Amino acid sequence: MVQDDVTLSFPRGLVGFPQYTAFRLYEPEDGYPLKFLQAVGREDVSFTCIDVQAIKPDYVVPLSDEDAQGLAIQEPADALILALLAIPEDPKRMTANLAGPLVINVKTLQARQIVLNIDQFPLQYPVFSGK
Amino acid sequence: MLVITRKLDQSIIINGNIEVVVTGLGKEGVRLGIIAPREVEVHRREVFEAIAAANRAASAQPQGASPVIQDAAALLRARVPKAGPDKG
């Protein structure tokens, strides 16, 4: 189980943000079930995310052998899958990026953003009408 | 940009350990095979850029204790029960 406030290591950074490899992941007060991901040393580089399980329980990331090995993930329970959220002014229209999930090894806190096929996994999955 | 002409089944070697092979030529496009060490990430450019653009957009929005984020969290709490599927 990932604790409330941890530092994750993204050796490759996030897609488009290769320069930031350490991120703080925390759940602020009154923020549940949202989590915040903030680049260490750069508070302005931050993201709002959520455990995909909470919004789409049937979501499965087709993790390549290279990614599974690189993250040392041996069984599904080792992995926490987070989706980055886009939250517009009307939060009912928020979307989750299911094409670029964050896969975190909860034991080692090593993490990667996985790039999936955008034809099969939506970049903008509507959280409130996705059923 | 380096431009090289290759025919079907011909390839180029990059950096001594990455090979790009032309495996098909047709009206639909060129098919490329890529042989590279496992740690080399290969993505179609448009996919990579779409995800990078989504990341940039996500990082530019309000964060933390902003009212929008608090509203979003409240909406999610109403929609996502702590246990069991939401039948509402």
Side-chain angles (χ1 to χ4, degrees), chain A residues 15-33:
Chain A
V15 177
F17 293 85
Q19 64 274 50
Y20 306 116
T21 56
F23 283 84
R24 176 181 173 216
L25 180 71
Y26 64 104
E27 202 171 278
E29 215 172 308
D30 299 329
Y32 176 88

Side-chain angles (χ1 to χ4, degrees), chain A residues 12 15 30-32 34 36 46-48 54-55 66 69 84-88 94 99 113 115-117 127 131, chain B residues 38-39 41 43-44 47-48 50-52 55 59 61 63-64 68-69 71-73 75-77 79-80 86:
Chain A
R12 297 171 172 176
V15 177
D30 299 329
Y32 176 88
L34 298 174
F36 297 102
S46 65
F47 303 88
T48 306
I55 55 168
E66 202 279 316
Q69 285 172 17
L84 299 180
L85 294 174
I87 303 179
M94 79 171 76
Q113 184 171 31
V115 175
L116 300 176
N117 187 338
V127 172
K131 294 202 155 186
Chain B
R38 285 173 157 247
E39 67 273 13
E41 286 189 87
H43 301 295
R44 287 181 292 154
V47 172
F48 189 85
I51 290 176
N55 281 352
S59 76
Q61 68 195 6
Q63 308 288 339
V68 170
I69 296 293
D71 287 354
L75 275 172
L76 283 162
R77 282 196 296 273
R79 143 76 195 272
V80 182
D86 183 0

Side-chain angles (χ1 to χ4, degrees), chain B residues 8-53:
Chain B
L8 190 63
D9 295 329
Q10 291 186 333
S11 65
I12 59 169
I13 305 282
I14 299 169
N15 205 35
N17 61 354
I18 298 166
E19 183 171 15
V20 181
V21 192
V22 178
T23 62
L25 292 164
K27 284 183 183 161
E28 300 299 307
V30 178
R31 277 181 80 80
L32 302 174
I34 295 145
I35 304 162
R38 285 173 157 247
E39 67 273 13
V40 174
E41 286 189 87
V42 179
H43 301 295
R44 287 181 292 154
R45 178 176 177 160
E46 60 272 26
V47 172
F48 189 85
E49 288 187 344
I51 290 176

Side-chain angles (χ1 to χ4, degrees), chain A residues 92-118:
Chain A
K92 288 194 200 71
R93 292 173 46 236
M94 79 171 76
T95 60
N97 177 356
L98 300 186
L102 310 180
V103 179
I104 297 154
N105 182 325
V106 297
K107 291 176 181 161
T108 64
L109 302 181
Q110 294 287 307
R112 285 187 186 184
Q113 184 171 31
I114 307 296
V115 175
L116 300 176
N117 187 338
I118 53 177

